[in-house]
Amino acid sequence: MAGVLALSGAMAAIALTAAAASPAPSPEAMEDRILAAANAFRADNHLAPLRSDPILAGQARAFAEYLARTGKFSHTADGRDPGQRARAAGYDYCDLAENIAFASDDSGFEENRLVRVFMNGWEHSPGHRRNLLDPEAVQTGVGVARTPGEVQTYLAVEEFGRPASMRYSFSVVNGSDAPAAYDFGGEHHVLPPYATLTENTCATGDIAFGHVAGAPSRYAAEPGARYVLSRSPGGVQVAVAAERRRPSGARPAQH
């Protein structure tokens, strides 16, 4: 999840008409079903399931009810963005994303069909799909509300979060007399000679060093680690000082 706040690239809106009325699904049941469907979709794509967070769930439900009550449909419908709503509710995050959608059918929905309407819309929209499959997200909250009136119209909101408690730091020390470069989290850094840079981040993944001689050029980012660079014949030598080593690509422990 890049940056502090990632919104979906589009908003899903679905209007349907069928022949026979169906009993109205309860919003509470729909929340559980959407969460299960989202985690099944992540499992199909080899990602860990999201844990339901009570703060995010309460925020998602409150916003879905606001959208249903007012007839508005926007990530900023209440004058705040998702990050502002999350912090106001007490959720301190490193990264946050939000999906919203509505579905309407004048002859009603069966629960499984309503879940598939929401999920199909999100799965086939690049922005929504990216949020569903964000490997950095570890927590979620789902809210569903129905608009007043006879026509069955539902609003769904799903939040995706990585809490601030998962922030960690590591340092890169350039102990050589020449500039040294590395890439991490989609950013390129150049360290002057004898400089130290400390990264405070929630991002996971590898640190890629340039011009490494006789050693792997990628190292797993580890909480508290120091990556010390020094000159060697033919390139840069990297020495890693850490409490515990993990194979390249391993993620920091999740709390």
Side-chain angles (χ1 to χ4, degrees):
M1 193 180 302
V4 174
L5 176 65
L7 304 184
S8 61
M11 294 173 288
I14 306 99
L16 302 169
T17 302
S22 300
S26 76
E28 294 79 9
M30 295 305 304
E31 291 169 357
D32 292 339
R33 286 176 173 266
I34 290 172
L35 175 57
N39 277 336
F41 183 58
R42 287 175 65 88
D44 289 343
N45 287 273
H46 313 291
L47 291 171
L50 301 172
R51 304 186 300 272
S52 180
D53 176 81
I55 297 177
L56 287 180
Q59 175 202 332
R61 186 175 301 117
F63 190 50
E65 291 172 350
Y66 176 87
L67 297 176
R69 184 173 64 254
T70 63
K72 297 179 180 180
F73 188 68
S74 163
H75 290 291
T76 57
D78 64 352
R80 301 177 295 175
D81 64 37
Q84 291 171 323
R85 287 192 293 272
R87 289 213 163 98
Y91 187 81
D92 191 12
Y93 62 88
C94 286
D95 293 291
L96 189 81
E98 178 180 89
N99 282 354
I100 64 176
F102 79 81
S104 184
D105 191 331
D106 58 10
S107 59
F109 286 102
E110 183 272 330
E111 285 187 357
N112 288 334
R113 186 169 76 93
L114 183 53
V115 171
R116 289 318 313 163
V117 167
F118 284 135
M119 289 300 300
N120 283 338
W122 286 343
E123 290 170 16
H124 292 90
S125 162
H128 295 96
R129 184 184 183 91
R130 184 167 54 249
N131 291 341
L132 284 167
L133 298 181
D134 188 343
E136 302 292 327
V138 297
Q139 294 177 328
T140 190
V142 180
V144 176
R146 184 185 171 187
T147 64
E150 294 184 4
V151 175
Q152 288 190 22
T153 300
Y154 288 85
L155 281 298
V157 176
E158 184 166 12
E159 310 291 347
F160 305 87
R162 188 174 184 84
S165 61
M166 297 187 72
R167 188 175 296 278
Y168 68 102
S169 63
F170 64 86
S171 298
V172 179
V173 181
N174 183 6
S176 73
D177 59 359
Y182 73 92
D183 295 285
F184 176 73
E187 296 185 357
H188 182 71
H189 302 273
V190 178
L191 272 68
Y194 306 112
T196 298
L197 178 63
T198 298
E199 294 263 9
N200 292 293
T201 182
C202 279
T204 60
D206 289 356
I207 310 166
F209 294 99
H211 306 294
V212 174
S217 62
R218 304 181 72 88
Y219 294 79
E222 301 189 26
R226 284 170 58 86
Y227 302 84
V228 182
L229 312 180
S230 60
R231 280 279 204 147
S232 67
V236 175
Q237 184 83 31
V238 181
V240 183
E243 293 181 0
R244 182 166 61 90
R245 296 292 301 276
R246 285 187 300 274
S248 178
R251 300 180 63 155
Q254 298 179 0
H255 302 288

PDB file of all heavy atoms in Angstrom, residues 22-53:
ATOM      1  N   SER A  22     -37.542 -10.429  -3.548  1.00  0.00           N
ATOM      2  CA  SER A  22     -36.860 -11.321  -2.617  1.00  0.00           C
ATOM      3  C   SER A  22     -36.863 -10.696  -1.237  1.00  0.00           C
ATOM      4  O   SER A  22     -36.900  -9.472  -1.101  1.00  0.00           O
ATOM      5  CB  SER A  22     -35.405 -11.555  -3.054  1.00  0.00           C
ATOM      6  OG  SER A  22     -35.355 -12.131  -4.334  1.00  0.00           O
ATOM      7  N   PRO A  23     -36.833 -11.508  -0.179  1.00  0.00           N
ATOM      8  CA  PRO A  23     -36.740 -10.940   1.172  1.00  0.00           C
ATOM      9  C   PRO A  23     -35.476 -10.094   1.301  1.00  0.00           C
ATOM     10  O   PRO A  23     -34.435 -10.415   0.721  1.00  0.00           O
ATOM     11  CB  PRO A  23     -36.674 -12.187   2.072  1.00  0.00           C
ATOM     12  CG  PRO A  23     -37.237 -13.296   1.240  1.00  0.00           C
ATOM     13  CD  PRO A  23     -36.876 -12.970  -0.176  1.00  0.00           C
ATOM     14  N   ALA A  24     -35.573  -9.022   2.065  1.00  0.00           N
ATOM     15  CA  ALA A  24     -34.439  -8.113   2.196  1.00  0.00           C
ATOM     16  C   ALA A  24     -33.362  -8.718   3.084  1.00  0.00           C
ATOM     17  O   ALA A  24     -33.627  -9.063   4.242  1.00  0.00           O
ATOM     18  CB  ALA A  24     -34.912  -6.780   2.780  1.00  0.00           C
ATOM     19  N   PRO A  25     -32.128  -8.863   2.589  1.00  0.00           N
ATOM     20  CA  PRO A  25     -31.037  -9.354   3.441  1.00  0.00           C
ATOM     21  C   PRO A  25     -30.740  -8.356   4.559  1.00  0.00           C
ATOM     22  O   PRO A  25     -30.896  -7.141   4.383  1.00  0.00           O
ATOM     23  CB  PRO A  25     -29.852  -9.455   2.473  1.00  0.00           C
ATOM     24  CG  PRO A  25     -30.443  -9.456   1.107  1.00  0.00           C
ATOM     25  CD  PRO A  25     -31.687  -8.635   1.206  1.00  0.00           C
ATOM     26  N   SER A  26     -30.326  -8.846   5.703  1.00  0.00           N
ATOM     27  CA  SER A  26     -29.980  -7.949   6.794  1.00  0.00           C
ATOM     28  C   SER A  26     -28.576  -7.398   6.581  1.00  0.00           C
ATOM     29  O   SER A  26     -27.672  -8.120   6.144  1.00  0.00           O
ATOM     30  CB  SER A  26     -30.047  -8.676   8.132  1.00  0.00           C
ATOM     31  OG  SER A  26     -28.921  -9.525   8.304  1.00  0.00           O
ATOM     32  N   PRO A  27     -28.354  -6.117   6.863  1.00  0.00           N
ATOM     33  CA  PRO A  27     -27.010  -5.549   6.709  1.00  0.00           C
ATOM     34  C   PRO A  27     -25.959  -6.291   7.518  1.00  0.00           C
ATOM     35  O   PRO A  27     -24.830  -6.485   7.054  1.00  0.00           O
ATOM     36  CB  PRO A  27     -27.199  -4.107   7.204  1.00  0.00           C
ATOM     37  CG  PRO A  27     -28.630  -3.790   6.913  1.00  0.00           C
ATOM     38  CD  PRO A  27     -29.352  -5.077   7.193  1.00  0.00           C
ATOM     39  N   GLU A  28     -26.299  -6.719   8.739  1.00  0.00           N
ATOM     40  CA  GLU A  28     -25.322  -7.419   9.573  1.00  0.00           C
ATOM     41  C   GLU A  28     -24.854  -8.722   8.925  1.00  0.00           C
ATOM     42  O   GLU A  28     -23.654  -9.037   8.917  1.00  0.00           O
ATOM     43  CB  GLU A  28     -25.912  -7.705  10.958  1.00  0.00           C
ATOM     44  CG  GLU A  28     -26.203  -6.474  11.790  1.00  0.00           C
ATOM     45  CD  GLU A  28     -27.499  -5.776  11.380  1.00  0.00           C
ATOM     46  OE1 GLU A  28     -28.268  -6.341  10.557  1.00  0.00           O
ATOM     47  OE2 GLU A  28     -27.728  -4.651  11.868  1.00  0.00           O
ATOM     48  N   ALA A  29     -25.789  -9.481   8.380  1.00  0.00           N
ATOM     49  CA  ALA A  29     -25.413 -10.734   7.710  1.00  0.00           C
ATOM     50  C   ALA A  29     -24.553 -10.453   6.486  1.00  0.00           C
ATOM     51  O   ALA A  29     -23.604 -11.192   6.189  1.00  0.00           O
ATOM     52  CB  ALA A  29     -26.667 -11.514   7.316  1.00  0.00           C
ATOM     53  N   MET A  30     -24.869  -9.375   5.783  1.00  0.00           N
ATOM     54  CA  MET A  30     -24.105  -9.033   4.593  1.00  0.00           C
ATOM     55  C   MET A  30     -22.669  -8.650   4.949  1.00  0.00           C
ATOM     56  O   MET A  30     -21.735  -8.958   4.209  1.00  0.00           O
ATOM     57  CB  MET A  30     -24.784  -7.878   3.841  1.00  0.00           C
ATOM     58  CG  MET A  30     -26.145  -8.225   3.267  1.00  0.00           C
ATOM     59  SD  MET A  30     -26.088  -9.686   2.203  1.00  0.00           S
ATOM     60  CE  MET A  30     -24.849  -9.168   1.033  1.00  0.00           C
ATOM     61  N   GLU A  31     -22.473  -7.969   6.054  1.00  0.00           N
ATOM     62  CA  GLU A  31     -21.116  -7.601   6.471  1.00  0.00           C
ATOM     63  C   GLU A  31     -20.251  -8.845   6.659  1.00  0.00           C
ATOM     64  O   GLU A  31     -19.108  -8.898   6.190  1.00  0.00           O
ATOM     65  CB  GLU A  31     -21.183  -6.778   7.757  1.00  0.00           C
ATOM     66  CG  GLU A  31     -21.778  -5.397   7.555  1.00  0.00           C
ATOM     67  CD  GLU A  31     -22.102  -4.676   8.843  1.00  0.00           C
ATOM     68  OE1 GLU A  31     -21.908  -5.268   9.926  1.00  0.00           O
ATOM     69  OE2 GLU A  31     -22.539  -3.516   8.778  1.00  0.00           O
ATOM     70  N   ASP A  32     -20.792  -9.843   7.349  1.00  0.00           N
ATOM     71  CA  ASP A  32     -20.036 -11.077   7.563  1.00  0.00           C
ATOM     72  C   ASP A  32     -19.736 -11.776   6.241  1.00  0.00           C
ATOM     73  O   ASP A  32     -18.629 -12.295   6.024  1.00  0.00           O
ATOM     74  CB  ASP A  32     -20.817 -12.020   8.480  1.00  0.00           C
ATOM     75  CG  ASP A  32     -20.934 -11.498   9.910  1.00  0.00           C
ATOM     76  OD1 ASP A  32     -20.103 -10.643  10.295  1.00  0.00           O
ATOM     77  OD2 ASP A  32     -21.843 -11.940  10.637  1.00  0.00           O
ATOM     78  N   ARG A  33     -20.702 -11.788   5.346  1.00  0.00           N
ATOM     79  CA  ARG A  33     -20.522 -12.484   4.066  1.00  0.00           C
ATOM     80  C   ARG A  33     -19.507 -11.764   3.176  1.00  0.00           C
ATOM     81  O   ARG A  33     -18.706 -12.405   2.490  1.00  0.00           O
ATOM     82  CB  ARG A  33     -21.864 -12.613   3.345  1.00  0.00           C
ATOM     83  CG  ARG A  33     -22.798 -13.666   3.958  1.00  0.00           C
ATOM     84  CD  ARG A  33     -24.142 -13.659   3.255  1.00  0.00           C
ATOM     85  NE  ARG A  33     -24.997 -14.738   3.690  1.00  0.00           N
ATOM     86  CZ  ARG A  33     -25.094 -15.928   3.091  1.00  0.00           C
ATOM     87  NH1 ARG A  33     -24.347 -16.178   2.025  1.00  0.00           N
ATOM     88  NH2 ARG A  33     -25.905 -16.855   3.547  1.00  0.00           N
ATOM     89  N   ILE A  34     -19.540 -10.449   3.180  1.00  0.00           N
ATOM     90  CA  ILE A  34     -18.575  -9.706   2.367  1.00  0.00           C
ATOM     91  C   ILE A  34     -17.166  -9.902   2.904  1.00  0.00           C
ATOM     92  O   ILE A  34     -16.205 -10.090   2.131  1.00  0.00           O
ATOM     93  CB  ILE A  34     -18.948  -8.217   2.320  1.00  0.00           C
ATOM     94  CG1 ILE A  34     -20.213  -8.034   1.481  1.00  0.00           C
ATOM     95  CG2 ILE A  34     -17.804  -7.383   1.735  1.00  0.00           C
ATOM     96  CD1 ILE A  34     -20.784  -6.616   1.526  1.00  0.00           C
ATOM     97  N   LEU A  35     -16.996  -9.885   4.222  1.00  0.00           N
ATOM     98  CA  LEU A  35     -15.676 -10.130   4.805  1.00  0.00           C
ATOM     99  C   LEU A  35     -15.165 -11.512   4.411  1.00  0.00           C
ATOM    100  O   LEU A  35     -14.002 -11.668   4.009  1.00  0.00           O
ATOM    101  CB  LEU A  35     -15.736  -9.995   6.321  1.00  0.00           C
ATOM    102  CG  LEU A  35     -14.450 -10.350   7.079  1.00  0.00           C
ATOM    103  CD1 LEU A  35     -13.271  -9.512   6.599  1.00  0.00           C
ATOM    104  CD2 LEU A  35     -14.662 -10.179   8.578  1.00  0.00           C
ATOM    105  N   ALA A  36     -16.033 -12.534   4.507  1.00  0.00           N
ATOM    106  CA  ALA A  36     -15.620 -13.887   4.129  1.00  0.00           C
ATOM    107  C   ALA A  36     -15.266 -13.957   2.648  1.00  0.00           C
ATOM    108  O   ALA A  36     -14.276 -14.604   2.257  1.00  0.00           O
ATOM    109  CB  ALA A  36     -16.732 -14.882   4.464  1.00  0.00           C
ATOM    110  N   ALA A  37     -16.035 -13.283   1.797  1.00  0.00           N
ATOM    111  CA  ALA A  37     -15.765 -13.302   0.359  1.00  0.00           C
ATOM    112  C   ALA A  37     -14.458 -12.582   0.037  1.00  0.00           C
ATOM    113  O   ALA A  37     -13.691 -13.022  -0.828  1.00  0.00           O
ATOM    114  CB  ALA A  37     -16.924 -12.672  -0.400  1.00  0.00           C
ATOM    115  N   ALA A  38     -14.198 -11.468   0.724  1.00  0.00           N
ATOM    116  CA  ALA A  38     -12.953 -10.736   0.486  1.00  0.00           C
ATOM    117  C   ALA A  38     -11.746 -11.580   0.880  1.00  0.00           C
ATOM    118  O   ALA A  38     -10.738 -11.617   0.156  1.00  0.00           O
ATOM    119  CB  ALA A  38     -12.966  -9.419   1.268  1.00  0.00           C
ATOM    120  N   ASN A  39     -11.846 -12.285   1.994  1.00  0.00           N
ATOM    121  CA  ASN A  39     -10.724 -13.129   2.411  1.00  0.00           C
ATOM    122  C   ASN A  39     -10.565 -14.352   1.510  1.00  0.00           C
ATOM    123  O   ASN A  39      -9.438 -14.812   1.272  1.00  0.00           O
ATOM    124  CB  ASN A  39     -10.887 -13.545   3.870  1.00  0.00           C
ATOM    125  CG  ASN A  39     -10.393 -12.479   4.838  1.00  0.00           C
ATOM    126  OD1 ASN A  39      -9.554 -11.662   4.482  1.00  0.00           O
ATOM    127  ND2 ASN A  39     -10.920 -12.485   6.043  1.00  0.00           N
ATOM    128  N   ALA A  40     -11.669 -14.864   0.990  1.00  0.00           N
ATOM    129  CA  ALA A  40     -11.562 -15.973   0.034  1.00  0.00           C
ATOM    130  C   ALA A  40     -10.872 -15.504  -1.243  1.00  0.00           C
ATOM    131  O   ALA A  40     -10.052 -16.232  -1.829  1.00  0.00           O
ATOM    132  CB  ALA A  40     -12.949 -16.522  -0.278  1.00  0.00           C
ATOM    133  N   PHE A  41     -11.182 -14.289  -1.676  1.00  0.00           N
ATOM    134  CA  PHE A  41     -10.534 -13.722  -2.868  1.00  0.00           C
ATOM    135  C   PHE A  41      -9.044 -13.537  -2.624  1.00  0.00           C
ATOM    136  O   PHE A  41      -8.222 -13.824  -3.498  1.00  0.00           O
ATOM    137  CB  PHE A  41     -11.208 -12.403  -3.215  1.00  0.00           C
ATOM    138  CG  PHE A  41     -10.696 -11.749  -4.466  1.00  0.00           C
ATOM    139  CD1 PHE A  41     -10.732 -12.406  -5.685  1.00  0.00           C
ATOM    140  CD2 PHE A  41     -10.194 -10.455  -4.430  1.00  0.00           C
ATOM    141  CE1 PHE A  41     -10.274 -11.802  -6.848  1.00  0.00           C
ATOM    142  CE2 PHE A  41      -9.733  -9.833  -5.580  1.00  0.00           C
ATOM    143  CZ  PHE A  41      -9.765 -10.511  -6.792  1.00  0.00           C
ATOM    144  N   ARG A  42      -8.675 -13.082  -1.440  1.00  0.00           N
ATOM    145  CA  ARG A  42      -7.259 -12.944  -1.112  1.00  0.00           C
ATOM    146  C   ARG A  42      -6.574 -14.316  -1.083  1.00  0.00           C
ATOM    147  O   ARG A  42      -5.450 -14.471  -1.584  1.00  0.00           O
ATOM    148  CB  ARG A  42      -7.089 -12.234   0.233  1.00  0.00           C
ATOM    149  CG  ARG A  42      -7.389 -10.748   0.174  1.00  0.00           C
ATOM    150  CD  ARG A  42      -7.325 -10.105   1.543  1.00  0.00           C
ATOM    151  NE  ARG A  42      -5.992 -10.132   2.114  1.00  0.00           N
ATOM    152  CZ  ARG A  42      -5.057  -9.193   1.924  1.00  0.00           C
ATOM    153  NH1 ARG A  42      -5.326  -8.143   1.158  1.00  0.00           N
ATOM    154  NH2 ARG A  42      -3.868  -9.287   2.498  1.00  0.00           N
ATOM    155  N   ALA A  43      -7.240 -15.305  -0.510  1.00  0.00           N
ATOM    156  CA  ALA A  43      -6.656 -16.650  -0.463  1.00  0.00           C
ATOM    157  C   ALA A  43      -6.430 -17.199  -1.869  1.00  0.00           C
ATOM    158  O   ALA A  43      -5.402 -17.838  -2.142  1.00  0.00           O
ATOM    159  CB  ALA A  43      -7.561 -17.588   0.331  1.00  0.00           C
ATOM    160  N   ASP A  44      -7.374 -16.942  -2.766  1.00  0.00           N
ATOM    161  CA  ASP A  44      -7.215 -17.384  -4.157  1.00  0.00           C
ATOM    162  C   ASP A  44      -5.998 -16.742  -4.817  1.00  0.00           C
ATOM    163  O   ASP A  44      -5.469 -17.263  -5.794  1.00  0.00           O
ATOM    164  CB  ASP A  44      -8.471 -17.047  -4.966  1.00  0.00           C
ATOM    165  CG  ASP A  44      -9.659 -17.912  -4.596  1.00  0.00           C
ATOM    166  OD1 ASP A  44      -9.460 -18.966  -3.963  1.00  0.00           O
ATOM    167  OD2 ASP A  44     -10.799 -17.516  -4.926  1.00  0.00           O
ATOM    168  N   ASN A  45      -5.596 -15.583  -4.291  1.00  0.00           N
ATOM    169  CA  ASN A  45      -4.444 -14.871  -4.829  1.00  0.00           C
ATOM    170  C   ASN A  45      -3.224 -14.965  -3.913  1.00  0.00           C
ATOM    171  O   ASN A  45      -2.323 -14.133  -3.984  1.00  0.00           O
ATOM    172  CB  ASN A  45      -4.818 -13.403  -5.077  1.00  0.00           C
ATOM    173  CG  ASN A  45      -5.725 -13.228  -6.267  1.00  0.00           C
ATOM    174  OD1 ASN A  45      -5.273 -13.101  -7.398  1.00  0.00           O
ATOM    175  ND2 ASN A  45      -7.038 -13.247  -6.028  1.00  0.00           N
ATOM    176  N   HIS A  46      -3.227 -16.001  -3.051  1.00  0.00           N
ATOM    177  CA  HIS A  46      -2.075 -16.347  -2.209  1.00  0.00           C
ATOM    178  C   HIS A  46      -1.699 -15.236  -1.231  1.00  0.00           C
ATOM    179  O   HIS A  46      -0.520 -14.989  -0.974  1.00  0.00           O
ATOM    180  CB  HIS A  46      -0.870 -16.722  -3.078  1.00  0.00           C
ATOM    181  CG  HIS A  46      -1.203 -17.678  -4.184  1.00  0.00           C
ATOM    182  ND1 HIS A  46      -1.547 -19.001  -3.953  1.00  0.00           N
ATOM    183  CD2 HIS A  46      -1.290 -17.503  -5.538  1.00  0.00           C
ATOM    184  CE1 HIS A  46      -1.807 -19.595  -5.104  1.00  0.00           C
ATOM    185  NE2 HIS A  46      -1.671 -18.711  -6.075  1.00  0.00           N
ATOM    186  N   LEU A  47      -2.720 -14.580  -0.672  1.00  0.00           N
ATOM    187  CA  LEU A  47      -2.504 -13.530   0.319  1.00  0.00           C
ATOM    188  C   LEU A  47      -3.142 -13.935   1.639  1.00  0.00           C
ATOM    189  O   LEU A  47      -4.139 -14.663   1.677  1.00  0.00           O
ATOM    190  CB  LEU A  47      -3.100 -12.206  -0.152  1.00  0.00           C
ATOM    191  CG  LEU A  47      -2.405 -11.539  -1.337  1.00  0.00           C
ATOM    192  CD1 LEU A  47      -3.241 -10.358  -1.829  1.00  0.00           C
ATOM    193  CD2 LEU A  47      -1.002 -11.078  -0.968  1.00  0.00           C
ATOM    194  N   ALA A  48      -2.574 -13.439   2.726  1.00  0.00           N
ATOM    195  CA  ALA A  48      -3.099 -13.731   4.053  1.00  0.00           C
ATOM    196  C   ALA A  48      -4.458 -13.071   4.247  1.00  0.00           C
ATOM    197  O   ALA A  48      -4.736 -12.014   3.673  1.00  0.00           O
ATOM    198  CB  ALA A  48      -2.120 -13.241   5.121  1.00  0.00           C
ATOM    199  N   PRO A  49      -5.314 -13.667   5.082  1.00  0.00           N
ATOM    200  CA  PRO A  49      -6.627 -13.056   5.334  1.00  0.00           C
ATOM    201  C   PRO A  49      -6.487 -11.778   6.151  1.00  0.00           C
ATOM    202  O   PRO A  49      -5.508 -11.571   6.869  1.00  0.00           O
ATOM    203  CB  PRO A  49      -7.369 -14.141   6.127  1.00  0.00           C
ATOM    204  CG  PRO A  49      -6.283 -14.924   6.802  1.00  0.00           C
ATOM    205  CD  PRO A  49      -5.136 -14.938   5.823  1.00  0.00           C
ATOM    206  N   LEU A  50      -7.483 -10.919   6.026  1.00  0.00           N
ATOM    207  CA  LEU A  50      -7.556  -9.698   6.813  1.00  0.00           C
ATOM    208  C   LEU A  50      -8.306  -9.985   8.110  1.00  0.00           C
ATOM    209  O   LEU A  50      -9.298 -10.704   8.120  1.00  0.00           O
ATOM    210  CB  LEU A  50      -8.290  -8.609   6.035  1.00  0.00           C
ATOM    211  CG  LEU A  50      -7.665  -8.212   4.689  1.00  0.00           C
ATOM    212  CD1 LEU A  50      -8.602  -7.266   3.948  1.00  0.00           C
ATOM    213  CD2 LEU A  50      -6.302  -7.578   4.886  1.00  0.00           C
ATOM    214  N   ARG A  51      -7.830  -9.393   9.194  1.00  0.00           N
ATOM    215  CA  ARG A  51      -8.501  -9.523  10.486  1.00  0.00           C
ATOM    216  C   ARG A  51      -9.488  -8.377  10.653  1.00  0.00           C
ATOM    217  O   ARG A  51      -9.159  -7.220  10.394  1.00  0.00           O
ATOM    218  CB  ARG A  51      -7.491  -9.492  11.638  1.00  0.00           C
ATOM    219  CG  ARG A  51      -6.396 -10.551  11.531  1.00  0.00           C
ATOM    220  CD  ARG A  51      -5.534 -10.559  12.783  1.00  0.00           C
ATOM    221  NE  ARG A  51      -4.879  -9.282  13.030  1.00  0.00           N
ATOM    222  CZ  ARG A  51      -3.704  -8.931  12.533  1.00  0.00           C
ATOM    223  NH1 ARG A  51      -3.058  -9.753  11.714  1.00  0.00           N
ATOM    224  NH2 ARG A  51      -3.167  -7.760  12.819  1.00  0.00           N
ATOM    225  N   SER A  52     -10.689  -8.696  11.099  1.00  0.00           N
ATOM    226  CA  SER A  52     -11.677  -7.650  11.333  1.00  0.00           C
ATOM    227  C   SER A  52     -11.267  -6.825  12.548  1.00  0.00           C
ATOM    228  O   SER A  52     -10.956  -7.373  13.607  1.00  0.00           O
ATOM    229  CB  SER A  52     -13.058  -8.270  11.560  1.00  0.00           C
ATOM    230  OG  SER A  52     -14.019  -7.256  11.790  1.00  0.00           O
ATOM    231  N   ASP A  53     -11.243  -5.516  12.379  1.00  0.00           N
ATOM    232  CA  ASP A  53     -10.909  -4.607  13.469  1.00  0.00           C
ATOM    233  C   ASP A  53     -12.176  -3.887  13.900  1.00  0.00           C
ATOM    234  O   ASP A  53     -12.891  -3.335  13.049  1.00  0.00           O
ATOM    235  CB  ASP A  53      -9.860  -3.591  13.010  1.00  0.00           C
ATOM    236  CG  ASP A  53      -9.554  -2.569  14.085  1.00  0.00           C
ATOM    237  OD1 ASP A  53      -8.760  -2.885  14.999  1.00  0.00           O
ATOM    238  OD2 ASP A  53     -10.125  -1.462  14.026  1.00  0.00           O
TER     239      ASP A  53
END
